Amino acid sequence: MTTEFSFSASSSNDAAPSLTSSVDLSTSSLELSIQTRIFKIIVIGDSNVGKTCLTFRFTGGSFPDKTEATIGVDFREKAVEIEGETIKVQVWDTAGQERFRKSMVEHYYRNVHAVVFVYDVTKMTSFRNLQTWIEECNGHRVSASVPRVLVGNKCDLVDQIQVPSNMALKFADSHNMLLFETSAKDPRESQNVDSIFMSLACRLKAQKSLLYRDVEREDGRVRLTQETETKSNCPC
């Protein structure tokens, strides 16, 4: 994710902005911050299963020309609209190699809203190692109520597939996860990649029964009004 900042210079003859304008600007920023909810989704799996490529495809809509092993944690985000509400989906991509994870793993699992487990359909070892990743996730006290999905990547390599779909589906069912088989590289699979993260975002939105809908000013203060969500028409 790249964030751009724009600065403009003013001459010494320009009038200084009023205090009221500064307060209004700060209040508007606060309103925007309050109204935009953020969902943190972490992506877990062995090295070289395509975690970084999946996050690139979802947040940027393309496959990276060149990738290197993730060191520590890589972070990207994308704003999506669900039922008229703009939500920021933060995708945290972590290194698959233990030597790159030790210093970051505790922070990585903190305040997580959903988990994506990724394996390479052409490498049976990456599928076998999923149990280890699930144990690590549970070991960091990620609640069972946190939605989890299973993703088999690189399905475009049809002649090299080692993990049958029925085997993956059985594993997903036993761990109460949805299964997605896709390819971050194949542009024809881009909608399927989007579905992985959008399905989680829709589910997370539906889980939140108390929504902060209205921001009102009272005596110069910003007040939050809670509204109970009774139904969901999420298209995902």
Side-chain angles (χ1 to χ4, degrees):
M1 178 191 69
T2 301
T3 304
E4 297 180 354
F5 296 93
S6 176
F7 298 89
S8 60
S10 59
S11 67
S12 58
N13 295 327
D14 293 339
S18 66
L19 179 59
T20 302
S21 297
S22 298
V23 171
D24 289 343
L25 180 60
S26 297
T27 304
S28 297
S29 298
L30 179 58
E31 289 179 357
L32 181 61
S33 176
I34 291 170
Q35 290 175 331
T36 304
R37 289 192 289 171
I38 299 174
F39 294 149
K40 176 182 177 181
I41 300 176
I42 61 175
V43 184
I44 300 174
D46 282 4
S47 295
N48 301 317
V49 296
K51 300 187 298 297
T52 299
C53 294
L54 283 168
T55 64
F56 258 100
R57 175 64 73 182
F58 171 64
T59 59
S62 63
F63 185 81
D65 295 330
K66 182 180 179 181
T67 60
E68 297 179 356
T70 302
I71 299 176
V73 172
D74 200 1
F75 167 88
R76 296 178 182 84
E77 74 175 18
K78 180 179 181 178
V80 301
E81 185 172 316
I82 302 175
E83 296 181 320
E85 179 184 1
T86 298
I87 293 172
K88 284 187 178 180
V89 178
Q90 292 184 347
V91 184
W92 293 56
D93 167 26
T94 183
Q97 298 181 38
E98 179 65 23
R99 63 193 178 100
F100 293 145
R101 295 171 54 80
K102 291 182 179 179
S103 62
M104 298 294 297
V105 70
E106 196 68 40
H107 178 71
Y108 184 69
Y109 282 102
R110 190 174 302 153
N111 300 322
V112 63
H113 294 108
V115 184
V116 177
F117 294 95
V118 184
Y119 68 96
D120 180 345
V121 297
T122 70
K123 294 182 180 178
M124 180 61 74
T125 54
S126 70
F127 180 77
R128 300 294 186 193
N129 288 339
L130 286 171
Q131 189 60 47
T132 300
W133 293 110
I134 291 174
E135 290 172 1
E136 179 186 278
C137 186
N138 294 337
H140 285 84
R141 300 178 182 177
V142 176
S143 172
S145 64
V146 171
R148 308 178 185 195
V149 298
L150 179 62
V151 177
N153 192 31
K154 306 185 183 182
C155 68
D156 56 304
L157 303 176
V158 179
D159 296 336
Q160 302 175 41
I161 292 178
Q162 296 182 5
V163 184
S165 297
N166 59 348
M167 178 184 292
L169 184 59
K170 183 177 180 180
F171 182 88
D173 287 343
S174 66
H175 291 86
N176 194 30
M177 293 190 285
L178 291 176
L179 171 65
F180 293 86
E181 291 184 316
T182 189
S183 168
K185 186 175 183 178
D186 189 345
R188 294 172 298 181
E189 290 285 322
S190 60
Q191 288 187 337
N192 203 13
V193 173
D194 286 347
S195 295
I196 296 168
F197 298 97
M198 289 301 295
S199 66
L200 288 171
C202 286
R203 183 173 174 182
L204 289 168
K205 184 180 185 301
Q207 281 183 350
K208 308 299 180 182
S209 59
L210 293 178
L211 303 178
Y212 295 99
R213 289 291 191 186
D214 302 316
V215 180
E216 300 178 1
R217 292 185 180 87
E218 286 187 353
D219 300 327
R221 299 179 180 179
V222 176
R223 181 171 68 85
L224 294 177
T225 301
Q226 292 183 341
E227 179 181 286
T228 302
E229 185 178 44
T230 57
K231 63 179 181 179
S232 173
N233 296 314
C234 181
C236 303

